[in-house]
Amino acid sequence: MQWETVIGLEIHVQLSTQTKIFSGSSTQFGAEPNTQANEVDLALPGILPVVNEQAVAKAVAFGLAIDAEIGKKSFFERKNYFYPDLPKGYQTTQLEAPVVGPGHVEITLDNGETKSIRIHHAHLEEDAGKSLHEDFHGMTGIDLNRAGTPLIEVVTEPDMRSAEEAVAFAKKLHSIVTAIGIGDGDMSQGSMRFDVNISVRPKGQEEYGTRTETKNLNSFKFMEEAIEMEVERQIDLIEDGGKVRQETRLYNGDKKTARAMRSKEEANDYRYFPCPDLLPIILDDDYIEAIRATLPELPDAKEKRFMADYGLPQYDASVLAASAAMADYFEQTVKVCGDAKLAANWCMGELSKFLNQQELDISACPIPPENFGQLLARIKDDTISGKIAKQVFQAMAEGEGSADEIIEAKGLKQVTDTGAIEAMVDEIIAANQAQFEELKGGKDKLMGFFVGQVMKISKGQANPGQVNQILKKKISE
Amino acid sequence: MENKTLKQLSAGLASGEFSSTELTRHYLDKIKQHDGTYNAYITVTEEQALAAAKQADEQIAAGNAGDLTGLPIAYKDLFCTQGVRTSCGSKILDNFVSPYESTATDNLNKAGMVMLGKTNLDEFAMGSSTESSYYGATRNPWDTDAVPGGSSGGSAVAVAADLAPVSLGTDTGGSIRQPAAFCGITGLKPTYGRVSRWGMVAYGSSLDQAGPMAQNAEDAAMIMNALAGFDAKDSTSMDKPVDNYLADLNKPIKGLKIGLPKEFFGDSLDDGIRAAVMDAVKQLEAQGAIVKEISLPRTELAIPAYYIIAPAEASTNLSRFDGVRYGYRCEDPQDLADMYIRSRSEGFGAEVKRRILVGTYALSAGYYDAYYRKAQQLRRMIKQDFQAALADVDVIAGPTTPSPAWKIGAKNQDPVAMYLEDIYTLSVNLAGLPGISVPCGMKDGLPVGLQIIGDYFSEAKLLNIGHQFQQATDWHTRKPTVGGNS
Amino acid sequence: MSLDRSQVESVAQLARLKIDEAEMPDYLNSLNSILDLVDKMQAVDTTGIEPLANPLDAAQRLRADVVTETNKREQLQANAPATEDGLFLVPKVIE
């Protein structure tokens, strides 16, 4: 039977505010346990929440970035359940009237096809603390530093039909979040957490199959693997006469395994109701427009502009536009070197390779874009070859100075003086008289040998084009 | 120093007749002597009180004392007080020492008041008799076999028995006004949002409000001047200018339009109370007020609406008592589920558990619309009834309670019987309006309260009417015999 | 509407409470009389009435995003039943 996969995502995005959503405690990552949890975060008796204005502003910015309706009157509700890392015994969240209503995100697939993924809504809520299961004499330790960190939970419609689509969407959402600066998007620290709802159905069937939820996938690679594994599991299960059970599953990316979470004894009944400690958030058009005015260029618009202004192919434009920091770096590089395609190739090639190796974000790149642009300018004006440029790049990365300084210090300037090249060509011909006669006799294969020898004695600095030209002249003499 | 009003004590301190330390010792001694009979206090903070009194005396000597500097006060044990046990009358918080101060008590402490201790209450303020406290029942000084009302029974008794010149209570469905009525004192529930709820342990968050419990309206006004005000830490606190509550006390009430809701004078009203309240109304008329009958048609519906909304909010407000971060944790929990269930089941008393169950049920899937949503719709209708009535009259008057204080044990086995006693006070909390109860008579040796309800933020007017009434009557000056049954 | 024993048990489980066998008859009785009382609401037509969540119908104020809190862990954990290395300890959580 032909099966169709149906995928919907729920994404928790930590908002990069200074303080928590309902208290003035710091949200900085990595502090000693419970040192950033005050009486509000600990849910002491008698405490009350007050909403952080930046949490609201960032949620609205997100809504505008996905072309969503903004809730002009949204309110918080209590979602009631007991868990040790949930201090109040309820999560303050939104259900009936979220701050961000329906919107959409466009994705581009590898085959160039585009697709619009509908966003059901996005709501503001507070994060929970962390349970540490290392052994404390058989007990669990609770750290509430993260409790109360502002989140938006983005909920998609079940619009994705493959792991590829889901990952393309996840990457796109990530690029939007980082472009508008509402979150750092660091998946390894849990700043952005993806839960994937997966079901399968016979192709052509309207009705959805029973879905499972796979939680907290902390890289795009794990997401792709987990989806493929789960789809296969569900299809095998059904084809063997079984039934998919609605359950929450945990994927282990290191072991490449997944398992169902211990099913709760009773069905959850969260007893949502409007939080009486908080009043409705009323937003007017002026407020919304003021936030719209602060929005930077979004990845989609940037991609189009890169294609139009720089003549980049769509692939290059979309890769560069996906990260606001990379896009900025690219644009500053172009300003200096004046060749967009060269800059794009180098940003996506050598630079990205280096950053990946060093596990650095572009924002932490040790080479300023001005220097990087200068390096590319030297390729363009034939001062150095592309091969030498890679050598210069390494030296720049190691902090040896600017491109020009390194070229100068190491004497890497390309030899373009015809006389000097001709002298080298003559030297090689004199040393390889017999082969030269064969070359003259029509054995063209030897051309490469002669060019190579000249490049070798020039330490790679001779302009290969000129070497070729002069050799041809010698042959025809 | 015996049986003096707050105002008189303030004058005594100012004139140097006695010091704050002497005054504080006087009350501490009286508490030691008599509170065994009444059980008004859960915790007496002698050491802190004497330290605060000493500081107040220094301030008075230095000439920078305010009206309230050096005056003792008792706080309901529902207010978080830094470094002092804050029990809420519950075993679950028996060992809880608050690491922070509520805004209400902080405001009064900053005004120089001296905390004598924390007063008894129905567990988590859930009750109308102060019998459900983990620390035992509080007794009414007018008849020690009778309840003092609740939930702020300890605060009411402390003032009525002169174990404190004034106290602070909280009112979710009548918990200031009803014990004030039962104990013959003056109690004001301000408009919702007038006094900060920060640090006041929540029962029904959209209903709770703190207010003064005093010997008379003037003393209550003195407290309100320090107590009321905007607090950025409470999202439901209103950023509105605060009146000087003493300024209008002496304004004549000539021409004041008073509405008497016919639903407040139905069959369930005790005849003695009806008579006392009608006498009080005649007194106000004699002082120039114009009285007319009005209707608050959903008065009876306030009971079901309240007994859904308050337990629903309470059921989730009390989820934080889970034995994880503070409070009672059961012995040797087998696992996490066992810890939750036993800590909570052993830590909460029967009425609290009952209200948690009702509230949980009312919010649960399939029942939300029929209960919680319906109750909140009724709430709007009740508010609209008040607004319509207050468009026509300045204030609404009637009895605070349908009957006088009942005997201890008479109703605590029958929750519904007790809930019905709240009929005249609940609707005021549902609407968020201010209300005051002033003593207006006696029924079989027990005090009767007159309730006056005003429009939003009209506390100054309510205190003015109370004060004018008390200028012409002496019910508020009558004191029970302290030290034995009357 | 009225509650039977198993409903009371499941509501109690949601609220993490346990009602002892001996107390059950009393709870059943009092809870059902409370439900009888609140069911009087059902007679009122509330069609089209917007629920009132807050008596003043006011709007939420927003707080500036500025850190106001310092580390108070020692003070705040003084009331804790069990702590270690700054963590609150609870019986093992199994996912």
Side-chain angles (χ1 to χ4, degrees), chain B residues 230-250:
Chain B
F230 171 67
D231 181 8
K233 292 203 283 271
D234 174 1
S235 293
T236 60
S237 166
M238 287 301 123
D239 194 359
K240 249 183 98 79
V242 179
D243 292 322
N244 177 354
Y245 297 102
L246 290 166
D248 287 346
L249 286 180
N250 291 315

Side-chain angles (χ1 to χ4, degrees), chain A residues 40 42-50 78 80 82-84 87-88 90 144 269 271-274 276-279, chain B residues 80 99-100 197-199 201 205 232-235 313 316-317 319-320 325-326 336 340 344 360 363-365 368 372:
Chain A
V40 174
L42 256 51
L44 255 50
I47 60 88
L48 294 169
V50 184
R78 293 180 178 179
N80 295 283
F82 286 88
Y83 205 76
K88 295 191 292 281
Y90 57 82
L144 297 173
D269 181 347
R271 287 160 285 136
Y272 282 93
F273 80 110
D277 286 330
L278 293 163
L279 302 174
Chain B
C80 283
Y100 79 107
R197 295 189 299 115
W198 172 261
V201 179
S205 310
K233 292 203 283 271
D234 174 1
S235 293
E313 292 181 359
T316 97
N317 283 335
S319 291
R320 69 193 59 192
R325 299 162 312 285
Y326 51 81
L336 188 65
Y340 279 142
R344 289 167 59 78
T360 303
L363 292 173
S364 64
Y368 179 88
Y372 189 76

Side-chain angles (χ1 to χ4, degrees), chain A residues 377-385 413-416 463:
Chain A
R378 293 303 159 259
I379 298 173
K380 205 170 152 58
D381 67 12
D382 282 338
T383 306
I384 53 173
S385 67
K413 214 169 193 166
Q414 188 159 254
V415 178
T416 52
N463 182 315

Side-chain angles (χ1 to χ4, degrees), chain B residues 180-244:
Chain B
F182 279 12
C183 293
I185 64 166
T186 300
L188 173 72
K189 181 204 95 76
T191 307
Y192 184 82
R194 182 70 296 180
V195 177
S196 170
R197 295 189 299 115
W198 172 261
M200 186 177 115
V201 179
Y203 159 26
S205 310
S206 73
L207 304 157
D208 297 340
Q209 190 61 199
M213 303 183 77
Q215 298 171 55
N216 57 46
E218 187 171 32
D219 286 2
M222 284 173 71
I223 295 296
M224 276 299 284
N225 271 354
L227 181 64
F230 171 67
D231 181 8
K233 292 203 283 271
D234 174 1
S235 293
T236 60
S237 166
M238 287 301 123
D239 194 359
K240 249 183 98 79
V242 179
D243 292 322
N244 177 354

Side-chain angles (χ1 to χ4, degrees), chain B residues 342-376:
Chain B
R342 278 206 292 130
S343 299
R344 289 167 59 78
S345 301
E346 293 166 16
F348 290 134
E351 181 61 18
V352 170
K353 281 188 244 185
R354 190 153 34 229
R355 295 197 194 188
I356 291 174
L357 292 175
V358 170
T360 303
Y361 179 63
L363 292 173
S364 64
Y367 299 103
Y368 179 88
D369 284 349
Y371 287 124
Y372 189 76
R373 196 182 148 81
K374 185 94 181 176
Q376 296 283 50

